[in-house]
Amino acid sequence: MISAAINFKKGDVFATDEEKLSVAIAEAHLGLAEGGIPIGAALFDEAGRLLGSGHNLRVQEGDASMHGETSAFRNAGRQRSYRKLTLATSLSPCWYCSGLIRQFGIGRVLVGDDKNFMGGQDWVAEHGAEVHVMNDPGLIKVMADFIAANDALWNEDIGED
Protein backbone atom coordinates (compact mmCIF):
# COMPACT_ATOMS: atom_id res chain seq x y z
CA MET A 1 0.00 0.00 0.00
CA ILE A 2 1.23 3.49 -0.81
CA SER A 3 2.05 5.66 2.18
CA ALA A 4 0.64 9.14 1.84
CA ALA A 5 0.72 12.27 3.92
CA ILE A 6 -0.77 15.67 3.35
CA ASN A 7 1.77 18.44 3.97
CA PHE A 8 -0.40 21.45 3.24
CA LYS A 9 -3.34 23.23 4.81
CA LYS A 10 -6.10 25.66 3.91
CA GLY A 11 -4.65 29.09 3.24
CA ASP A 12 -1.31 27.85 1.91
CA VAL A 13 -0.37 29.57 -1.36
CA PHE A 14 0.56 27.62 -4.49
CA ALA A 15 1.99 29.85 -7.22
CA THR A 16 2.19 27.59 -10.26
CA ASP A 17 -0.24 25.21 -11.93
CA GLU A 18 2.21 22.37 -11.20
CA GLU A 19 2.14 23.23 -7.49
CA LYS A 20 -1.65 23.34 -7.52
CA LEU A 21 -1.82 19.98 -9.28
CA SER A 22 0.60 18.55 -6.68
CA VAL A 23 -2.10 19.08 -4.03
CA ALA A 24 -4.61 17.07 -6.08
CA ILE A 25 -1.97 14.36 -6.64
CA ALA A 26 -1.21 14.16 -2.90
CA GLU A 27 -4.93 13.77 -2.23
CA ALA A 28 -5.15 11.01 -4.87
CA HIS A 29 -2.30 9.13 -3.19
CA LEU A 30 -4.00 9.53 0.19
CA GLY A 31 -7.21 8.07 -1.22
CA LEU A 32 -5.30 5.09 -2.60
CA ALA A 33 -3.52 4.57 0.74
CA GLU A 34 -6.93 4.49 2.44
CA GLY A 35 -8.07 1.71 0.10
CA GLY A 36 -10.11 4.01 -2.12
CA ILE A 37 -10.00 5.30 -5.67
CA PRO A 38 -6.93 7.49 -6.38
CA ILE A 39 -8.60 10.70 -7.49
CA GLY A 40 -7.88 13.99 -5.74
CA ALA A 41 -8.76 17.61 -6.23
CA ALA A 42 -8.16 21.05 -4.77
CA LEU A 43 -9.80 24.45 -5.11
CA PHE A 44 -7.73 27.67 -5.17
CA ASP A 45 -8.57 31.35 -5.18
CA GLU A 46 -7.17 33.84 -7.67
CA ALA A 47 -4.05 34.40 -5.52
CA GLY A 48 -3.30 30.64 -5.42
CA ARG A 49 -4.52 30.25 -1.84
CA LEU A 50 -5.82 26.76 -1.08
CA LEU A 51 -9.51 26.95 -0.18
CA GLY A 52 -10.06 23.22 0.20
CA SER A 53 -8.86 19.85 -1.02
CA GLY A 54 -10.17 16.32 -0.94
CA HIS A 55 -10.17 12.94 -2.56
CA ASN A 56 -12.62 10.33 -3.77
CA LEU A 57 -14.29 8.83 -0.68
CA ARG A 58 -16.86 6.58 -2.33
CA VAL A 59 -15.30 3.42 -0.88
CA GLN A 60 -14.24 4.82 2.48
CA GLU A 61 -17.60 6.49 3.26
CA GLY A 62 -19.90 4.31 1.16
CA ASP A 63 -21.16 7.51 -0.48
CA ALA A 64 -21.49 7.45 -4.25
CA SER A 65 -21.51 11.27 -4.40
CA MET A 66 -18.09 11.77 -2.81
CA HIS A 67 -15.90 12.12 -5.86
CA GLY A 68 -12.57 13.93 -5.51
CA GLU A 69 -13.87 17.20 -6.93
CA THR A 70 -16.98 17.05 -4.75
CA SER A 71 -14.87 16.42 -1.66
CA ALA A 72 -12.62 19.41 -2.41
CA PHE A 73 -15.64 21.59 -3.20
CA ARG A 74 -17.32 20.69 0.10
CA ASN A 75 -14.10 21.20 2.07
CA ALA A 76 -13.69 24.68 0.55
CA GLY A 77 -17.02 25.79 2.00
CA ARG A 78 -19.24 28.49 0.58
CA GLN A 79 -17.67 31.04 -1.72
CA ARG A 80 -19.21 34.30 -2.83
CA SER A 81 -18.27 33.52 -6.43
CA TYR A 82 -16.44 30.70 -8.18
CA ARG A 83 -15.62 32.46 -11.48
CA LYS A 84 -12.02 33.35 -10.56
CA LEU A 85 -11.28 30.05 -8.82
CA THR A 86 -9.10 27.22 -10.08
CA LEU A 87 -9.98 23.57 -9.57
CA ALA A 88 -7.04 21.18 -9.87
CA THR A 89 -8.13 17.59 -10.37
CA SER A 90 -5.99 14.51 -10.79
CA LEU A 91 -8.31 13.01 -13.43
CA SER A 92 -10.53 14.44 -16.14
CA PRO A 93 -13.80 15.29 -14.37
CA CYS A 94 -16.66 12.86 -14.92
CA TRP A 95 -20.03 14.22 -16.04
CA TYR A 96 -21.19 14.52 -12.43
CA CYS A 97 -18.17 16.65 -11.48
CA SER A 98 -18.30 18.52 -14.78
CA GLY A 99 -21.85 19.49 -13.83
CA LEU A 100 -20.58 20.85 -10.52
CA ILE A 101 -17.94 22.93 -12.34
CA ARG A 102 -20.57 24.24 -14.75
CA GLN A 103 -23.26 24.83 -12.12
CA PHE A 104 -21.03 27.04 -10.00
CA GLY A 105 -19.08 28.59 -12.87
CA ILE A 106 -15.60 27.57 -11.74
CA GLY A 107 -13.35 29.57 -14.04
CA ARG A 108 -10.25 27.38 -14.44
CA VAL A 109 -9.69 23.64 -14.36
CA LEU A 110 -6.32 21.88 -14.25
CA VAL A 111 -6.54 18.23 -15.36
CA GLY A 112 -3.74 15.92 -14.27
CA ASP A 113 -4.71 12.95 -16.48
CA ASP A 114 -7.09 12.59 -19.38
CA LYS A 115 -5.41 9.49 -20.83
CA ASN A 116 -7.05 6.96 -18.49
CA PHE A 117 -10.44 8.65 -18.56
CA MET A 118 -11.95 11.46 -20.61
CA GLY A 119 -14.84 13.04 -18.79
CA GLY A 120 -16.68 16.24 -19.59
CA GLN A 121 -13.69 18.58 -19.73
CA ASP A 122 -14.39 19.63 -23.33
CA TRP A 123 -18.02 20.41 -22.44
CA VAL A 124 -16.81 22.44 -19.44
CA ALA A 125 -14.48 24.39 -21.75
CA GLU A 126 -17.27 24.97 -24.27
CA HIS A 127 -19.26 26.59 -21.46
CA GLY A 128 -16.60 29.08 -20.43
CA ALA A 129 -14.10 27.39 -18.14
CA GLU A 130 -10.42 27.61 -19.05
CA VAL A 131 -9.16 24.00 -19.08
CA HIS A 132 -5.47 23.04 -18.95
CA VAL A 133 -4.59 19.37 -19.46
CA MET A 134 -1.26 18.57 -17.81
CA ASN A 135 -1.05 14.75 -18.23
CA ASP A 136 1.43 14.06 -15.43
CA PRO A 137 3.24 10.76 -16.29
CA GLY A 138 3.43 9.50 -12.70
CA LEU A 139 -0.23 10.22 -12.13
CA ILE A 140 -1.19 8.49 -15.37
CA LYS A 141 0.69 5.37 -14.24
CA VAL A 142 -0.92 5.31 -10.79
CA MET A 143 -4.39 5.54 -12.31
CA ALA A 144 -3.66 2.96 -15.05
CA ASP A 145 -2.31 0.51 -12.46
CA PHE A 146 -5.36 1.08 -10.25
CA ILE A 147 -7.81 0.53 -13.11
CA ALA A 148 -6.01 -2.65 -14.21
CA ALA A 149 -6.11 -4.07 -10.68
CA ASN A 150 -9.64 -2.88 -9.80
CA ASP A 151 -11.72 -2.91 -12.96
CA ALA A 152 -15.06 -3.67 -11.23
CA LEU A 153 -14.59 -0.87 -8.69
CA TRP A 154 -13.44 1.52 -11.41
CA ASN A 155 -16.45 0.73 -13.58
CA GLU A 156 -18.73 1.32 -10.59
CA ASP A 157 -17.08 4.72 -10.03
CA ILE A 158 -17.64 5.87 -13.62
CA GLY A 159 -21.12 4.35 -13.88
CA GLU A 160 -20.29 1.53 -16.29
CA ASP A 161 -21.72 -2.00 -16.04
Side-chain angles (χ1 to χ4, degrees), residues 37 39 91 117 143 147 150-158:
I37 299 165
I39 302 172
L91 189 66
F117 177 76
M143 198 69 220
I147 292 168
N150 301 280
D151 62 331
L153 180 58
W154 172 244
N155 285 333
E156 175 190 325
D157 193 61
I158 61 171

Side-chain angles (χ1 to χ4, degrees), residues 8-161:
F8 49 82
K9 62 189 179 315
K10 267 186 170 184
D12 286 351
V13 176
F14 297 82
T16 67
D17 288 349
E18 290 76 14
E19 290 172 350
K20 292 176 179 94
L21 183 62
S22 75
V23 177
I25 292 171
E27 287 282 2
H29 283 286
L30 181 58
L32 184 60
E34 294 172 351
I37 299 165
I39 302 172
L43 195 62
F44 301 89
D45 70 11
E46 192 174 21
R49 191 173 14 264
L50 177 64
L51 300 172
S53 65
H55 52 278
N56 186 302
L57 293 166
R58 295 180 77 252
V59 172
Q60 299 92 312
E61 294 186 2
D63 182 347
S65 71
M66 284 304 289
H67 288 207
E69 296 89 343
T70 309
S71 178
F73 184 80
R74 288 181 180 176
N75 289 334
R78 287 177 52 195
Q79 304 298 313
R80 186 165 169 80
S81 173
Y82 296 85
R83 303 231 182 277
K84 294 183 179 179
L85 302 187
T86 296
L87 176 69
T89 180
S90 63
L91 189 66
S92 180
C94 69
W95 286 105
Y96 169 66
C97 296
S98 293
L100 180 136
I101 294 163
R102 174 83 168 89
Q103 172 69 32
F104 291 94
I106 295 172
R108 281 184 86 230
V109 181
L110 307 176
V111 177
D113 169 10
D114 74 354
K115 299 298 182 192
N116 285 296
F117 177 76
M118 175 62 88
Q121 70 192 39
D122 291 340
W123 177 77
V124 166
E126 289 169 9
H127 287 90
E130 182 181 331
V131 176
H132 295 278
V133 178
M134 301 173 80
N135 280 330
D136 179 84
L139 187 56
I140 291 168
K141 180 174 179 2
V142 166
M143 198 69 220
D145 291 349
F146 176 82
I147 292 168
N150 301 280
D151 62 331
L153 180 58
W154 172 244
N155 285 333
E156 175 190 325
D157 193 61
I158 61 171
E160 297 289 328
D161 289 328

